[in-house]
Amino acid sequence: MRLLRSTYLALLSLATAATAAAQEPAPAGGALPASSLAVFLDCQNVGCDFDYIRTEITAVNWVRDREVADVHVLVTGQETGAGGRDFTLAFMGLRTFAGLSDTLHFVVTPNSTDDERRSGLARVLRIGLVRFLARTPDAARLTISFGAAAAGAAQTSTKADPWKAWVFRMGADGFTAGEETAKDFNVGGRFSGNRITAQWKTQVSARENYSESHFEIDDTTTAINIRRNYGFNWLQVRAISPHWSVGVRSDASSSTYENTLRSIRMSPAIEYNVYPYTQSTRRLLKVEYALGFADYRYRDTTIYDKVAETLPLHRMQISTTQNQPWGQVDVGISGIQYLHDRSKYRVSSNGGIEVRVFKGFRVDVGGGYDVIYDQLSLAKKNYTPQEILLRQFQRGTTYSYFVHAGVSYTFGSILNNVVNPRFD
């Protein structure tokens, strides 16, 4: 009883302190001081450390909704040829700053740490906000310094690069887990080599994976599920103009689950982007068409009584990505068809959209749907109940889908400056 009473008194004192803190003076109606600059930071899938930025940049008021901001900073990014990240920061003036805008870039190397990335982003944010702060009453307190040139500046030409813009990665991993009646084991390896310049893009990759699972059904029966697969991909692209590209896609694979001993596909392709590729971090609208062939060797005889076949095919893909102040959209649809039998095809669609409908209210909808009539490798065999439950082999289907949707509404104080990581 004494322990409970002491705990109750401690919690009561904490509640009293919280009530007193809640009664601290605050700007009437949550209004910002007249001399402050309200900034809305909008990082779209690039991993900004907002707590760090708020802690490092205190000259502005960070707000949680663009409707009450003076500046909307939209941060997008894409991978560089070396495997780093090229961030694009679009500074868009709102309200009294409407019409004032700027765009800055920040590039991190593939070996940069999280701290180097977030400190670099904070540095570019400071630079971009200067022109807005210079137009506020706080301009009198603004100071600017120019540091020494950084050592090891990023190279912009392959002439001084002994690797000639090639970047290689390799790795391996494995895990095991178990309990009294079940255990799992998995091991895999991967390798990739990329060379990306303004005119050429070359990407090669290889992977292999082995997994094994044991399930004890009773004292005398144990189900074993083994899957093996490997794959190789090659992509070669040549830039023709700000809108056109040509290239070749090729891949090879093997999978016990898909009943393929060997699968090879190669397709020359052409792509058109409605927008210049220089705007790719903000918007894309691409159409790609490819014409090629596929060569298959199967592990077991298929439902079409085939053990091997070589087939002509063609493929088309349309995709769009939009990263805008009102939200983001990512939608794509692709179709592949075998020319020997046009009833053998697959149409895949997927996408998502997030929209700021009004102040504080967001809608997030996404999903995908596949129409499937191209399962040429299905094995001609009767599956046991164990094989079906363990999904050891691919089974026939004419469709697959997934859907997600959500809404969120945030209300309350527009201020968003304080960082308190306690109990996080």
Side-chain angles (χ1 to χ4, degrees):
M1 289 297 293
R2 284 184 179 179
L3 180 59
L4 289 175
R5 183 177 180 183
S6 299
T7 303
Y8 172 76
L9 290 174
L11 291 174
L12 181 61
S13 64
L14 284 173
T16 303
T19 302
Q23 295 174 350
E24 292 178 356
L32 295 173
S35 62
S36 66
L37 184 70
V39 181
F40 173 60
L41 182 61
D42 186 5
C43 287
Q44 298 197 359
N45 302 320
V46 294
C48 295
D49 188 339
F50 193 26
D51 284 350
Y52 175 84
I53 290 171
R54 283 184 294 182
T55 303
E56 293 296 310
I57 304 177
T58 58
V60 302
N61 272 307
W62 299 101
V63 296
R64 57 174 178 77
D65 199 294
R66 74 183 303 268
E67 299 297 327
V68 295
D70 298 310
V71 185
H72 181 170
V73 184
L74 177 64
V75 185
T76 56
Q78 59 185 354
E79 189 174 3
T80 65
R85 199 76 173 169
D86 181 2
F87 294 96
T88 300
L89 290 80
F91 297 81
M92 295 168 283
L94 304 173
R95 302 197 294 185
T96 59
F97 295 94
L100 186 64
S101 63
D102 200 0
T103 300
L104 300 177
H105 287 269
F106 167 60
V107 179
V108 294
T109 66
N111 297 321
S112 296
T113 64
D114 289 342
D115 184 64
E116 289 171 336
R117 181 173 65 174
R118 67 181 186 177
S119 63
L121 277 174
R123 177 181 58 80
V124 178
L125 275 170
R126 291 189 188 96
I127 295 171
L129 291 172
V130 166
R131 67 183 309 183
F132 297 94
L133 284 168
R135 289 167 170 81
T136 68
D138 289 334
R141 299 189 293 116
L142 186 64
T143 60
I144 301 175
S145 61
F146 193 77
Q155 293 179 346
T156 58
S157 171
T158 59
K159 294 181 179 179
D161 181 8
W163 292 98
K164 303 301 181 183
W166 277 100
V167 178
F168 300 97
R169 297 182 182 87
M170 61 178 63
D173 53 66
F175 77 86
T176 183
E179 53 186 73
E180 188 172 349
T181 58
K183 61 180 180 180
D184 294 282
F185 172 76
N186 183 284
V187 64
R190 58 198 177 277
F191 170 84
S192 68
N194 301 330
R195 185 180 188 273
I196 298 177
T197 67
Q199 295 297 320
W200 290 95
K201 180 178 184 178
T202 305
Q203 293 182 327
V204 294
S205 64
R207 67 190 184 281
E208 185 168 8
N209 185 266
Y210 174 88
S211 65
E212 182 177 321
S213 302
H214 294 248
F215 304 93
E216 185 178 311
I217 299 174
D218 53 42
D219 292 339
T220 59
T221 306
T222 299
I224 301 176
N225 182 20
I226 296 176
R227 285 190 185 183
R228 300 183 182 90
N229 65 78
Y230 70 78
F232 173 83
N233 296 85
W234 171 55
L235 173 67
Q236 184 69 59
V237 178
R238 174 70 163 88
I240 301 299
S241 74
H243 297 272
W244 287 96
S245 304
V246 295
V248 178
R249 291 183 182 273
S250 179
D251 64 80
S253 63
S254 175
S255 171
T256 55
Y257 176 72
E258 295 180 355
N259 188 38
T260 54
L261 183 63
R262 187 189 70 200
S263 167
I264 299 175
R265 295 191 297 185
M266 179 174 288
S267 303
I270 187 169
E271 180 183 85
Y272 175 73
N273 185 8
V274 174
Y275 307 110
Y277 286 99
T278 54
Q279 301 179 16
S280 59
T281 61
R282 291 288 300 276
R283 56 182 184 173
L284 284 171
L285 177 54
K286 302 191 300 180
V287 180
E288 179 188 327
Y289 178 76
L291 177 65
F293 72 93
D295 181 71
Y296 298 123
R297 296 294 182 269
Y298 304 114
R299 294 178 180 273
D300 294 318
T301 302
T302 70
I303 58 176
Y304 301 103
D305 295 318
K306 301 287 185 179
V307 293
E309 54 187 336
T310 301
L311 307 171
L313 57 83
H314 65 161
R315 183 177 62 86
M316 176 174 283
Q317 176 176 301
I318 303 173
S319 60
T320 182
T321 300
Q322 299 282 333
N323 293 302
Q324 302 297 333
W326 47 260
Q328 54 186 322
V329 177
D330 191 355
V331 178
I333 182 169
S334 65
I336 183 172
Q337 183 183 51
Y338 292 91
L339 298 177
H340 78 292
D341 182 352
R342 297 193 176 184
S343 67
K344 301 297 185 289
Y345 67 91
R346 177 181 303 223
V347 178
S348 303
S349 60
N350 63 81
I353 179 171
E354 180 184 284
V355 179
R356 300 182 182 94
V357 181
F358 55 84
K359 182 179 177 180
F361 186 79
R362 300 189 183 197
V363 176
D364 178 21
V365 180
Y369 190 89
D370 288 8
V371 178
I372 303 171
Y373 289 100
D374 68 340
Q375 292 181 293
L376 303 177
S377 64
L378 294 177
K380 185 179 181 180
K381 61 182 299 184
N382 294 320
Y383 298 101
T384 67
Q386 285 185 8
E387 289 174 332
I388 293 174
L389 291 174
L390 296 176
R391 301 194 68 189
Q392 286 186 263
F393 299 95
Q394 188 178 52
R395 303 179 69 198
T397 182
T398 58
Y399 68 90
S400 66
Y401 67 89
F402 72 93
V403 178
H404 71 86
V407 297
S408 66
Y409 180 56
T410 306
F411 55 93
S413 172
I414 63 173
L415 296 175
N416 199 10
N417 294 339
V418 178
V419 176
N420 187 340
R422 294 172 178 82
F423 280 76
D424 283 351

